[in-house]
Amino acid sequence: MENPMQQFKTEFFKALAHPLRIQILELLTEGDKSVNEIQSSLGSEGSAVSQQLSILRAKNIVVGTKDGKKVIYSLRDPKIADLLAIAKEIYNNHLIDTISILEDELDETEKSEQ
């Protein structure tokens, strides 16, 4: 049985589990943006961006604030930017480990061919 924290984490990470949502969040780490700014930065269709923003809003990951006729989106919690940066570090560490394994295998192959 999941406790409330585990349930929150499960739902939170499900909300992040889409490439376009991650791209949107990465853009918003640079500062608040309107839907049009997000669309043009990503080169994505308006309906796709709006759909993903709706999901992020529903999960309280982003907030939208009316500015005249525009809605300006921002990260609800600045720690989301930290989370994305940590995910990048984990990815880089994974690549470093993979490169190291491949280099070791290459060294072994070269030794066995000599």
Side-chain angles (χ1 to χ4, degrees):
M1 181 171 184
E2 291 183 18
N3 67 34
M5 177 59 70
Q6 290 169 333
Q7 183 64 34
F8 170 80
K9 288 177 182 178
T10 299
E11 294 303 315
F12 179 78
F13 285 111
K14 278 184 193 176
L16 299 181
H18 190 282
L20 185 53
R21 284 183 231 146
I22 295 295
Q23 289 178 306
I24 291 168
L25 293 174
E26 287 172 341
L27 271 178
L28 293 177
T29 65
E30 299 167 5
D32 301 351
K33 307 239 182 304
S34 69
V35 176
N36 289 339
E37 290 172 315
I38 294 169
Q39 289 169 352
S40 61
S41 291
L42 298 178
S44 188
E45 290 182 19
S47 61
V49 169
S50 294
Q51 180 182 16
Q52 301 310 324
L53 282 167
S54 176
I55 292 166
L56 292 169
R57 265 195 332 264
K59 297 296 182 181
N60 290 315
I61 296 172
V62 299
V63 292
T65 308
K66 276 279 212 189
D67 182 22
K69 292 184 178 186
K70 293 191 281 187
V71 177
I72 305 297
Y73 286 92
S74 60
L75 298 176
R76 186 169 193 273
D77 188 324
K79 289 289 185 186
I80 291 169
D82 296 340
L83 177 66
L84 294 170
I86 289 169
K88 183 177 181 179
E89 287 177 31
I90 292 168
Y91 174 75
N92 288 339
N93 291 340
H94 173 73
L95 286 179
I96 289 168
D97 290 345
T98 302
I99 289 168
S100 178
I101 290 167
L102 291 172
E103 286 174 341
D104 290 346
E105 288 179 8
L106 183 61
D107 288 346
E108 288 299 315
T109 302
E110 289 174 350
K111 284 179 187 175
S112 68
E113 290 176 352
Q114 292 176 352

